[in-house]
Amino acid sequence: MQATGQLPPELSLWCTLTSQEESGPDTPDEVVLLPRLHVAGQAPVAFEFSAFGYGMADGRQLALQLLRHPYVEVEHPFEAANLATRLWPEPPTTLDPAAMATLGIQGTRNWDRAFCTGGCVTDLNLIRMARSAPWRGLISPRITVREPGPGGRVLTERRQEGQVR
């Protein structure tokens, strides 16, 4: 699907390793609230989220989270903490599970609740809203708004390591 362009750009896929061990690295204890958006003249858009995993021979699990996020870019809190790898839309050239951190029980719980659908934002012009200061307080700072349309440019600012995008 990637080669034919059938994979929509508003999909993101992340992976991490989990285990049933008590110990593990400190993990983000953060929930990214995924809003419901309405763009003028279009049907309301809900984010879609799916989590699944695969058992590995050594007893760990490869945990995956797939997110459909139209009109916005989403930064995963575990990716920001170097505890998850984004597999799509920009896959890494290599993926070595032996080099990845393995989450313990608490880290796995935090991973499982990293995203939550909820919140409702309706009848708003995303472009105008994205440029206004009140917008930034409505949703997670891990979400930035794109201009509606294919390949839309990012309209909100995000502070990351001292830089504004």
Side-chain angles (χ1 to χ4, degrees):
M1 290 177 72
Q2 178 183 355
T4 63
Q6 294 175 339
L7 204 58
E10 69 263 6
L11 287 180
S12 288
L13 177 65
W14 296 272
C15 75
T16 194
L17 292 175
T18 64
S19 74
Q20 294 300 308
E21 299 294 322
E22 287 292 331
S23 64
D26 288 337
T27 59
D29 187 12
E30 177 180 348
V31 177
V32 177
L33 178 63
L34 302 170
R36 184 175 162 92
L37 303 174
H38 183 266
V39 178
Q42 298 185 27
V45 176
F47 287 62
E48 295 177 66
F49 173 73
S50 182
F52 47 99
Y54 299 96
M56 297 173 57
D58 62 6
R60 297 181 300 165
Q61 297 80 40
L62 177 66
L64 299 150
Q65 292 182 339
L66 179 64
L67 177 65
R68 179 178 171 264
H69 49 90
Y71 304 116
V72 302
E73 293 299 324
V74 177
E75 177 186 48
H76 197 296
F78 281 68
E79 180 185 17
N82 293 315
L83 295 171
T85 301
R86 184 184 293 250
L87 301 177
W88 183 259
E90 297 172 15
T93 54
T94 62
L95 183 65
D96 181 5
M100 295 172 64
T102 300
L103 309 181
I105 292 173
Q106 186 58 48
T108 301
R109 287 183 188 130
N110 291 348
W111 168 265
D112 289 342
R113 64 182 194 86
F115 294 115
C116 177
T117 56
C120 189
V121 177
T122 58
D123 298 325
L124 296 173
N125 178 315
L126 283 178
I127 296 174
R128 186 182 75 234
M129 181 177 66
R131 292 182 179 143
S132 70
W135 163 255
R136 293 183 193 104
L138 292 176
I139 61 171
S140 168
R142 298 217 181 261
I143 297 176
T144 54
V145 179
R146 286 192 315 261
E147 184 175 351
R153 60 188 170 87
V154 172
L155 297 174
T156 57
E157 296 178 346
R158 181 177 5 168
R159 296 192 185 279
Q160 187 173 23
E161 300 175 356
Q163 297 179 354
V164 176
R165 290 177 24 181

